[in-house]
Amino acid sequence: MTHLQPIPSPTEPMLDCHPRMPVMIPIGPAGVPAEFVGFDGLDGLEHVAIRFAGRHPDASRPVLVRLHSECLTGDIFASARCDCGRQLHEAIELLSEEGGILLYLRQEGRGIGLYAKLDAYRLQDKGIDTYTANRWLNLPEDARNYTVGARMLQALGVERIRLMTNNPDKVAQLTAAGIDVAEVRRTGVYVTDANRAYLQAKFEHRHMIDPAAILRGASPGDEPAE
């Protein structure tokens, strides 16, 4: 991890957001070394930054970053109803190779919480799309706040990034919060019979997804369409 920049001292002003002492944790079957960093002064939730040195880092390029919102069903239990778990593991694999930062944000169910997400699933079982289901529950379609991710990056001294995402709202919110998104690297399209309608709804809500990939079931190695 020697090429990683030291975490700024908690005594230095960082927009009232300060990193806590990091801890190294080997993760995944290969035991990839990852540095977990918590923060004081955020929004009261325990968001975490996970920093990877990478096997083949390129210090001349902006830092590779993935903002990943917590998904208990997908990340832990490999739910086929979403693509969250597959995207998380894709990000870890790329970051392990190239180095960078995974921001794991505690924003379950696009920010509405686990129980509300399960309520929305019951509505989806009746043929209602994921965004409409939230509205029927009198909840926002998407309540996620990526400004917290910008503050975490700034607290780590990162201002210019390459962002792994299919979601233009992440780009817009980070840019508005002062992060220079120099490049967008699209994530894979992970289609199952159980999540095809979910991915179609994301495409219709401006996510950068090739609609043909949804129909054919793109593999992780497929190149996203421009």
Side-chain angles (χ1 to χ4, degrees):
M1 303 293 283
T2 54
H3 83 282
L4 290 174
Q5 294 298 314
I7 294 174
S9 167
T11 61
E12 297 174 7
M14 276 293 176
L15 302 178
D16 298 322
C17 171
H18 309 295
R20 298 165 64 92
M21 290 296 293
V23 60
M24 294 296 301
I25 303 176
I27 62 174
V32 175
E35 185 180 63
F36 282 63
V37 185
F39 296 84
D40 292 321
L42 289 174
D43 56 2
L45 299 177
E46 293 183 324
H47 310 291
V48 65
I50 307 171
R51 306 205 310 173
F52 297 82
R55 290 181 287 268
H56 302 286
D58 184 351
S60 68
R61 304 182 70 190
V63 178
L64 183 62
V65 173
R66 165 73 180 171
L67 274 67
H68 187 88
S69 295
E70 177 183 35
C71 176
L72 177 71
T73 51
D75 298 343
I76 304 301
F77 297 107
S79 166
R81 293 187 67 144
C82 66
D83 55 349
C84 303
R86 298 288 297 276
Q87 287 188 340
L88 175 62
H89 290 288
E90 174 194 14
I92 291 173
E93 182 177 346
L94 289 172
L95 291 165
S96 298
E97 184 68 23
E98 300 184 25
I101 302 173
L102 170 67
L103 300 183
Y104 196 80
L105 306 178
R106 310 304 297 274
Q107 302 187 132
E108 177 78 49
R110 295 201 308 274
I112 65 174
L114 176 61
Y115 286 3
K117 182 176 81 170
L118 296 178
D119 290 340
Y121 276 176
R122 283 193 289 271
L123 292 174
Q124 292 171 43
D125 287 341
K126 300 177 181 179
I128 300 167
D129 74 70
T130 178
Y131 295 94
T132 302
N134 281 19
R135 292 199 304 271
W136 280 28
L137 294 170
N138 295 314
L139 295 169
E141 288 186 351
D142 193 335
R144 288 174 293 184
N145 177 8
Y146 301 115
T147 300
V148 69
R151 296 180 66 198
M152 294 164 71
L153 291 172
Q154 290 160 349
L156 294 173
V158 176
E159 301 282 351
R160 191 165 189 263
I161 67 173
R162 292 178 290 138
L163 183 64
M164 299 171 58
T165 189
N166 293 331
N167 185 353
D169 191 38
K170 290 183 183 178
V171 180
Q173 288 196 39
L174 288 175
T175 301
I179 299 297
D180 179 4
V181 181
E183 178 185 331
V184 173
R185 182 170 182 166
R186 299 189 196 179
T187 58
V189 181
Y190 300 99
V191 185
T192 69
D193 289 340
N195 74 12
R196 197 178 304 274
Y198 165 80
L199 293 173
Q200 180 65 32
K202 291 212 300 188
F203 167 73
E204 292 170 357
H205 280 72
R206 298 181 56 248
H207 280 236
M208 296 178 286
I209 299 174
D210 176 8
I214 299 174
L215 293 175
R216 70 173 182 266
S219 67
D222 284 348
E223 191 69 26
E226 295 296 332

